[in-house]
Amino acid sequence: MNNAGPADPATRIAMWSGPRTVSTALMRAWENRPDTVVTDEPLYAFYLDRTGLDHPGRDQVVASQPTDWRVVLARLAEPLPDGAVISYAKHMTHHVLPEVDQAELAPFRHAHLIRDPRELLASYARVRAEPTVADLGLRQQAEIFEAFGGPVVDSRDLLTDPEGILRVLCQALAVPFDGRMLAWPAGPRDSDGVWAPYWYDSVLASTGFAPLPPAVHRAARPPRAAGRAVPALLRPPAPLPHYRGELACFRPSMSATAT
């Protein structure tokens, strides 16, 4: 028996990342499009409720969102407001606890934002005491990538060439690029999670993607053919040694940046 309803005309993007990957700035870019609505970490309350972790503003977070992952996913599938044809959900991979049936993620169009785990842990340590690799959600990102694929964007590449990378990302997601993704007004948004006062100082002050300091620029890596095997970076417990060499093949082809 086929219970499928009419095809959904909306593009529903699930962007998966760990913390401290410029994910909130990327959410700002998508929200600045007039055709897009964004959702900020919709599984956060579920994650805190189940784990009992004491994050900043924990009680506010748990009160602000559903704590049932099924309800969260159902809300992400609801009709969009008039004028919107894209739904963009910023997800933290570590929020996907074992209880979540990942098969239920199939209706979404998946993409991945990554950062060298060594840099990520160092950055996360500034806002959270004693971070661990488990806080990065590497296992969950590996599972989601293996199941659904999707373009992979390195946060360094994004900061080095915002327009080029966003053009390639939009192409990979089958949506048109919009130049308004490159700059946005400073300040809070109604869509920001209630945790914004604890985590979003830099983004609240931003008006675009901050350039990388010259000292941390890397030489461009040549693109490689895309595939569906799990990137070595995302295979715990040893994600670091393969980061530079093997993840590049999952980045969108840089040849599209010239179009």
Side-chain angles (χ1 to χ4, degrees):
M1 179 176 179
N2 185 357
N3 292 320
D8 187 350
T11 298
R12 300 181 186 273
I13 298 168
M15 177 60 75
W16 299 97
S17 72
R20 313 299 286 183
T21 53
V22 303
S23 59
T24 310
L26 186 55
M27 180 178 72
R28 282 285 192 272
W30 284 91
E31 186 170 25
N32 213 44
R33 299 173 58 117
D35 62 355
T36 302
V37 293
V38 304
T39 305
D40 192 7
E41 300 185 27
L43 290 165
Y44 195 9
F46 157 74
Y47 171 76
L48 291 182
D49 179 71
R50 295 300 193 273
T51 62
L53 291 171
D54 186 20
H55 282 201
R58 180 188 190 282
D59 292 343
Q60 294 171 272
V61 176
V62 172
S64 71
Q65 296 176 327
T67 56
D68 186 328
W69 64 267
R70 299 170 189 82
V71 175
V72 171
L73 297 187
R75 288 190 178 183
L76 291 175
E78 290 177 351
L80 302 184
D82 289 344
V85 294
I86 300 172
S87 167
Y88 178 94
K90 168 197 162 194
H91 287 289
M92 295 287 104
T93 54
H94 60 282
H95 293 170
V96 183
L97 298 175
E99 175 185 336
V100 177
D101 180 359
Q102 293 185 22
E104 297 298 318
L105 301 174
F108 303 101
R109 197 168 299 182
H110 299 275
H112 305 268
L113 179 64
I114 61 164
R115 183 179 183 183
D116 186 315
R118 291 164 294 193
E119 296 177 4
L120 201 160
L121 281 168
S123 177
Y124 198 35
R126 300 189 193 110
V127 294
R128 179 166 169 76
E130 300 182 1
T132 68
V133 170
D135 292 325
L136 311 186
L138 295 175
R139 175 184 59 80
Q140 294 95 319
Q141 193 161 28
E143 293 169 353
I144 293 166
F145 183 89
E146 185 174 48
F148 306 112
V152 177
V153 171
D154 189 313
S155 61
R156 280 180 173 261
D157 293 336
L158 178 60
L159 294 178
T160 299
D161 182 12
E163 181 172 354
I165 295 299
L166 288 173
R167 283 184 179 276
V168 173
L169 177 61
C170 288
Q171 182 180 52
L173 293 170
V175 299
F177 171 72
D178 189 319
R180 284 166 286 199
M181 300 175 77
L182 298 173
W184 52 83
R189 303 287 189 276
D190 290 341
S191 58
D192 289 344
V194 298
W195 52 89
Y198 305 101
W199 302 93
Y200 289 179
D201 286 352
S202 295
V203 170
L204 293 175
S206 72
T207 57
F209 292 99
L212 281 172
V216 296
H217 275 283
R218 294 180 301 187
R221 293 166 296 182
R224 295 164 59 187
R228 291 297 299 271
V230 178
L233 166 65
L234 304 179
R235 295 181 191 149
L240 302 182
H242 306 287
Y243 172 77
R244 288 191 178 91
E246 298 192 19
L247 195 61
C249 64
F250 298 97
R251 294 157 59 232
S253 171
M254 295 299 102
S255 63
T257 64
T259 62

